[in-house]
């Protein structure tokens, strides 16, 4: 069979180029350290490598989310801890003010200290992160959440929004605590209502609890206010009469005893102490209390020397002590929830890191290069390239005249 010169050149050129490609491929693998660089190298292994890389990318994203959540929650937990310690100190001051040995000037000093502490508490509640975002404003991170109005009542300008971050498949964690939840929505220590003690009270008593225990029997006459009147029962004791806001008598207890709960309109109340004939107080709904408002009321009470030493003032102080205790516990509970979240996300982070170790080990088995085999393959392809090149060179230089004498 005859072979034309052009055909010979083409075939040899193609052989050299193929061998050069093989040498380059072997060199590239040695350089990258990867056995599988394209799906053509090993389709089955390439599919497994792609799946493992996707899992690692997802784990990396979860770890980033966890780091973000950890930073936000760590700052929040620290601020809540500062607030809790401050509120506990403020309540201790309020307890100290209950001593009968203190003068009006002493109580004014305590009131002044509470004012300073209340401003510090407001500053903590208005804390910002490193980007200037308010920690306790919900979604309104660019709005200062807490401010007092002209009457001294705390106004919350944030919202109840809770941001979340995905830390695992189907698992999210809250990354902020709304300010109203932390500082303004503590469960009322008394229950569903609070008492308003009236001037002229002579007996020493306190509304200790008041809760709706039978919702089916509870009806509301707006506004939902109740009046408790104590009168002489003519037998050496007092009679209690409870009226709604329309003046309708809901129940009458002919011989009131503090050990016996009083029930009416689906509500159960417990009054402790010894009311006197002629005493009266009102009760209105209040299921949640604000730590700011409670201490503001306490300051106003301490600054009223005439009221502070009366039975009315003592009843109000007892109610405020109960409320601030509940509010302090609530603040500690919110801080505890934040701490639990911090501990939880650290565990998830550890799980993701362990998952990446397993994935990387599997990736190594699938794609890492066996250098001994790769170098052998390189040498083989290099030798083949040299042989083809030398052969082509010698064939190319061959002439018929070399054989003619």
């Amino acid at each position: 069979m005859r072979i034309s010169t052009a055909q010979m050149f083409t075939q040899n050129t193609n052989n050299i180029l193929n061998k050069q490609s093989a040498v380059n491929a072997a060199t590239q693998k040695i350089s990258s350290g990867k056995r599988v660089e394209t799906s053509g190298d090993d389709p089955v292994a390439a599919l497994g490598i792609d799946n493992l890389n996707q899992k690692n990318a997802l784990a990396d994203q979860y770890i980033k989310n966890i780091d973000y959540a950890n930073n936000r929650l760590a700052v929040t937990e620290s601020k809540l801890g500062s607030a809790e310690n401050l509120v506990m100190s403020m309540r201790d001051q309020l307890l100290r003010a209950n001593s009968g040995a203190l003068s009006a000037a002493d109580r004014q000093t305590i009131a002044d200290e509470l004012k300073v502490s209340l401003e510090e508490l407001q500053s903590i509640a208005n804390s910002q992160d490193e980007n200037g975002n308010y920690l306790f404003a919900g979604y309104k991170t660019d709005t200062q959440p807490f401010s007092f109005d002209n009457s001294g009542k705390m106004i919350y300008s944030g919202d109840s929004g809770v941001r979340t971050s995905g830390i695992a498949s189907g698992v999210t964690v809250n990354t902020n605590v709304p300010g109203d939840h932390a500082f303004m929505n503590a469960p009322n220590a008394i229950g569903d209502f609070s008492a308003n003690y009236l001037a002229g009270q002579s007996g020493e008593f306190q509304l200790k609890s008041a809760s709706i225990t039978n919702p089916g029997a509870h009806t509301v006459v707006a506004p939902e206010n109740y009046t408790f009147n104590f009168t002489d029962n003519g037998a050496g004791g007092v009679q209690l009469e409870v009226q709604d806001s329309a003046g309708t008598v809901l129940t009458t207890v002919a011989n009131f005893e503090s050990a016996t709960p009083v029930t009416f309109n689906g509500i159960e109340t417990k009054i402790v102490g010894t009311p006197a004939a002629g005493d009266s107080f009102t009760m209105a709904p209040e299921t949640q209390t604000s730590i700011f408002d409670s201490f503001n009321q306490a300051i106003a009470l301490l600054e009223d020397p005439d009221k502070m030493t009366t039975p009315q003032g003592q009843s109000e102080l007892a109610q405020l002590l109960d409320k601030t205790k509940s509010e302090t516990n609530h603040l500690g509970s919110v801080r505890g929830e934040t701490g639990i979240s911090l501990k939880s996300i650290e565990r998830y982070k550890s799980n993701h890191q362990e998952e990446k170790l397993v994935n990387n080990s599997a990736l190594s088995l699938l794609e890492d290069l066996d250098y001994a085999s790769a170098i052998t393959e390189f040498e083989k392809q290099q030798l083949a390239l040299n042989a083809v090149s030398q052969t082509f060179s010698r064939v190319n230089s061959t002439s018929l005249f070399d054989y003619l004498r």
Side-chain angles (χ1 to χ4, degrees), residues 60-114:
D60 285 336
Q61 184 59 56
Y62 283 139
I63 290 174
K64 288 181 181 178
N65 292 350
I66 287 171
D67 288 339
Y68 169 82
N70 184 75
N71 292 339
R72 298 280 76 76
L73 289 173
V75 174
T76 300
E77 194 274 339
S78 176
K79 295 298 181 182
L80 289 173
S82 298
E84 182 184 9
N85 292 334
L86 179 60
V87 170
M88 290 174 66
S89 174
M90 293 170 69
R91 189 170 185 277
D92 288 342
Q93 290 176 303
L94 191 57
L95 281 168
R96 183 162 60 89
N98 196 31
S99 172
L102 297 179
S103 65
D106 294 331
R107 293 193 178 94
Q108 183 59 55
T109 299
I110 294 175
D112 292 339
E113 292 174 354
L114 287 176

Side-chain angles (χ1 to χ4, degrees), residues 24-35 37 41 369 371:
N24 290 338
T27 303
Q28 178 63 30
K29 287 185 178 181
I30 293 173
S31 176
S32 66
K34 302 298 182 183
R35 181 180 68 87
E37 293 186 320
D41 294 334
L369 187 67
Y371 277 97

Side-chain angles (χ1 to χ4, degrees), residues 313-327:
Q314 289 297 300
S315 294
E316 288 186 9
L317 180 60
Q319 179 171 254
L320 287 170
L321 286 171
D322 284 343
K323 285 185 176 181
T324 53
K325 180 180 180 180
S326 175
E327 289 155 359

Side-chain angles (χ1 to χ4, degrees), residues 79-80 82-84 86-87 90 113-128 134-137 143-150 152-157 179 183-184 290-293 295-296 299 331:
K79 295 298 181 182
L80 289 173
S82 298
E84 182 184 9
L86 179 60
V87 170
M90 293 170 69
E113 292 174 354
L114 287 176
K115 288 179 182 178
V116 174
S117 296
L118 198 59
E119 290 178 357
E120 184 181 350
L121 181 62
Q122 181 188 8
S123 176
I124 293 173
N126 285 330
S127 296
Q128 296 171 277
Y134 289 97
L135 293 175
F136 299 105
T143 302
Q144 179 175 301
F146 292 95
S147 59
F148 287 106
D149 64 12
N150 294 332
K153 185 176 179 63
M154 178 58 72
I155 302 299
Y156 179 64
S157 301
F183 300 99
M184 303 189 74
S290 163
I291 198 167
F292 292 104
D293 292 339
F295 278 108
N296 252 334
I299 291 170
L331 199 56

Side-chain angles (χ1 to χ4, degrees), residues 56-316:
N56 275 347
L58 185 60
D60 285 336
Q61 184 59 56
Y62 283 139
I63 290 174
K64 288 181 181 178
N65 292 350
I66 287 171
D67 288 339
Y68 169 82
N70 184 75
N71 292 339
R72 298 280 76 76
L73 289 173
V75 174
T76 300
E77 194 274 339
S78 176
K79 295 298 181 182
L80 289 173
S82 298
E84 182 184 9
N85 292 334
L86 179 60
V87 170
M88 290 174 66
S89 174
M90 293 170 69
R91 189 170 185 277
D92 288 342
Q93 290 176 303
L94 191 57
L95 281 168
R96 183 162 60 89
N98 196 31
S99 172
L102 297 179
S103 65
D106 294 331
R107 293 193 178 94
Q108 183 59 55
T109 299
I110 294 175
D112 292 339
E113 292 174 354
L114 287 176
K115 288 179 182 178
V116 174
S117 296
L118 198 59
E119 290 178 357
E120 184 181 350
L121 181 62
Q122 181 188 8
S123 176
I124 293 173
N126 285 330
S127 296
Q128 296 171 277
D129 63 16
E130 68 278 5
N131 297 318
N133 297 318
Y134 289 97
L135 293 175
F136 299 105
Y139 290 142
K140 297 182 178 181
T141 55
D142 58 347
T143 302
Q144 179 175 301
F146 292 95
S147 59
F148 287 106
D149 64 12
N150 294 332
S151 65
K153 185 176 179 63
M154 178 58 72
I155 302 299
Y156 179 64
S157 301
D159 59 27
S160 301
V162 178
R163 298 184 298 277
T164 60
S165 181
I167 60 172
S169 178
V171 180
T172 60
V173 64
N174 297 340
T175 60
N176 72 302
V177 177
D180 56 348
H181 173 58
F183 300 99
M184 303 189 74
N185 294 343
N188 187 352
I190 299 174
D192 298 316
F193 300 86
S194 288
N196 177 33
Y197 300 98
L198 306 178
Q201 175 183 328
S202 58
E204 296 181 352
F205 65 90
Q206 177 193 358
L207 178 65
K208 196 65 177 177
S209 65
S211 301
I212 299 173
T213 55
N214 187 358
H218 181 65
T219 58
V220 178
V221 176
E224 189 178 9
N225 296 315
Y226 303 95
T227 302
F228 292 68
N229 295 315
F230 296 95
T231 57
D232 191 339
N233 66 358
V238 293
Q239 174 179 289
L240 170 62
E241 184 181 84
V242 182
Q243 301 176 355
D244 62 16
S245 58
T248 303
V249 177
L250 301 177
T251 188
T252 299
V253 180
N255 186 24
F256 172 78
E257 294 181 359
S258 61
T260 304
V262 178
T263 59
F264 59 91
N265 195 29
I267 302 170
E268 181 178 290
T269 63
K270 185 175 182 181
I271 302 168
V272 297
T274 309
D279 286 343
S280 180
F281 72 92
T282 61
M283 186 179 79
E286 188 178 31
T287 58
Q288 296 176 323
T289 62
S290 163
I291 198 167
F292 292 104
D293 292 339
S294 293
F295 278 108
N296 252 334
Q297 293 167 17
I299 291 170
L301 179 61
L302 293 176
E303 291 183 327
D304 189 343
D306 295 331
K307 183 179 180 180
M308 181 64 192
T309 56
T310 64
Q312 177 197 10
Q314 289 297 300
S315 294
E316 288 186 9

Side-chain angles (χ1 to χ4, degrees), residues 44-55:
V44 176
L47 180 61
I49 290 168
D50 185 56
N51 289 336
L52 289 171
N53 283 332
Q54 289 183 28
K55 289 183 178 181

